């Protein structure tokens, strides 16, 4: 039986009179890539923020690694977060730091016991895993959009996360670079056995990276299945994502 890493049961969230989530239920197994689709405002980002404890759910249960998020104190929550990596839309690099310094800063924050030599080794290893070891001394302003995404991914990988949350990983990239990033997500899953949630509007990315796709509509999961299953859905709204 596959080990369930993320369990979400009956998740509800509203901001004032604006009801976003109305009872989301989702299990994600170890090593699985789940793509999250939905129109703008459907609650994709809110669900992710609830998952990591950045937003408090109004109702429901969220378990990560078997532990209930809402029952954790700050120390326990940070311990869980240390096992999770995030790739933000713009890479979220520190503009005043070189690529080396960006990655080293993350590692020092995560593991205060690492020596300077060990940090350098891990920085180079992370950059090598995304094919950008030569960019180690560049500043973020010298990087293309695709390179920033790759460096952002290297910074995520350097803490060796068990779960990775991708927020629109291919947004703003040309078709070729988008495919390269999608292939990289797949390689990371295969090499590091990561469990991932991937928020995307890019159906080429969804097709390449997903083991399963869920579709959010009106605050609940409206449909789920493989890319091929959903592409053949009888529901015109679901099929609209694939046109």
């Amino acid at each position: 039986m596959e080990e369930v890493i993320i369990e979400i049961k009956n998740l509800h969230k509203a901001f004032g009179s604006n009801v976003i989530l109305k009872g989301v239920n989702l299990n994600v197994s170890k090593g699985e890539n789940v793509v999250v689709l939905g129109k703008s405002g459907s609650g994709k980002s809110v669900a992710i923020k609830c998952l990591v404890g950045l937003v408090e759910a109004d109702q429901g249960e969220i378990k990560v690694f078997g532990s209930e998020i809402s029952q954790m104190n700050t120390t326990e929550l940070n311990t869980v977060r240390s096992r999770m990596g995030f790739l933000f839309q713009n890479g979220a690099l520190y503009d005043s730091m070189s690529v080396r310094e960006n990655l080293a800063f993350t590692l020092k924050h995560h593991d205060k016991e690492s020596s300077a030599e060990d940090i350098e080794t891990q920085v180079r290893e992370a950059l090598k895993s995304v094919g950008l070891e030569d960019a180690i001394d560049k500043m973020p302003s010298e990087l293309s959009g695709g390179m920033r995404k790759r460096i952002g991914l290297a910074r995520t990988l350097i803490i060796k996360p068990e779960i990775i949350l991708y927020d629109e990983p291919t947004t703003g990239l040309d078709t070729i670079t988008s495919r390269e990033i999608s292939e990289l997500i797949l390689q990371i899953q295969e090499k590091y056995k990561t469990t991932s949630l991937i928020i995307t509007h890019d159906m080429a990315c969804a097709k390449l990276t997903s083991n399963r796709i869920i579709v959010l509509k009106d605050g609940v999961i409206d449909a789920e299945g493989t890319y091929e299953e959903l592409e053949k859905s009888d529901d015109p709204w679901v099929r609209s994502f694939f046109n």
Side-chain angles (χ1 to χ4, degrees):
M1 187 175 179
E2 293 179 328
E3 180 184 358
V4 176
I5 298 295
I6 298 169
E7 297 176 78
I8 300 176
K9 295 180 182 177
N10 196 33
L11 180 62
H12 289 251
K13 183 62 189 177
F15 298 96
S17 61
N18 186 18
V19 181
I20 306 295
L21 303 176
K22 303 176 184 177
V24 171
N25 294 281
L26 175 66
N27 284 355
V28 183
S29 299
K30 184 177 178 63
E32 186 179 23
N33 275 0
V34 175
V35 163
V36 184
L37 297 179
K39 305 296 185 186
S40 295
S42 62
K44 303 184 298 296
S45 295
V46 173
I48 294 295
K49 288 175 180 176
C50 288
L51 174 64
V52 298
L54 293 174
V55 169
E56 186 176 348
D58 296 332
Q59 182 183 332
E61 185 178 274
I62 301 173
K63 288 185 178 179
V64 181
F65 305 118
S67 298
E68 169 63 47
I69 290 291
S70 66
Q71 304 300 318
M72 295 180 186
N73 59 35
T74 302
T75 301
E76 292 167 336
L77 188 56
N78 285 336
T79 299
V80 168
R81 287 173 177 162
S82 72
R83 300 169 68 184
M84 305 169 76
F86 309 87
L87 183 67
F88 300 99
Q89 284 191 39
N90 60 2
L93 301 177
Y94 298 109
D95 289 335
S96 61
M97 294 182 181
S98 68
V99 167
R100 174 192 273 109
E101 290 167 338
N102 262 281
L103 270 65
F105 179 82
T106 300
L107 189 57
K108 287 174 187 174
H109 182 73
H110 179 74
D111 182 3
K112 295 178 173 58
E113 305 300 318
S114 294
S115 66
E117 184 179 355
D118 188 41
I119 288 171
E120 178 72 11
T121 298
Q122 291 189 63
V123 165
R124 288 188 176 277
E125 180 184 325
L127 289 173
K128 188 175 181 181
S129 70
V130 299
L132 281 178
E133 194 174 0
D134 290 346
I136 192 166
D137 291 317
K138 290 185 180 293
M139 299 298 291
S141 59
E142 299 177 88
L143 306 174
S144 66
M147 290 173 76
R148 289 177 72 97
K149 293 273 191 179
R150 284 176 177 267
I151 298 300
L153 195 44
R155 194 177 63 178
T156 299
L157 289 175
I158 203 166
I159 65 169
K160 298 179 172 58
E162 296 165 64
I163 295 172
I164 302 181
L165 307 176
Y166 297 92
D167 185 12
E168 301 287 0
T170 61
T171 292
L173 303 178
D174 61 73
T175 304
I176 293 173
T177 307
S178 293
R179 182 173 179 83
E180 289 174 348
I181 295 296
S182 298
E183 289 174 344
L184 194 53
I185 291 171
L186 204 55
Q187 291 165 17
I188 287 165
Q189 179 196 24
E190 292 169 354
K191 182 175 180 180
Y192 298 103
K193 311 304 180 190
T194 52
T195 303
S196 299
L197 284 175
I198 304 163
I199 294 175
T200 186
H201 288 94
D202 179 353
M203 296 310 294
C205 173
K207 183 176 184 178
L208 188 60
T209 62
S210 64
N211 299 115
R212 180 161 50 111
I213 296 175
I214 64 169
V215 186
L216 284 176
K217 180 185 180 185
D218 297 331
V220 297
I221 294 177
D222 184 66
E224 67 175 289
T226 64
Y227 183 96
E228 290 73 22
E229 288 167 348
L230 294 184
E231 189 178 27
K232 298 172 185 173
S233 171
D234 294 331
D235 185 338
W237 188 85
V238 172
R239 254 198 342 269
S240 71
F241 286 92
F242 298 81
N243 296 333

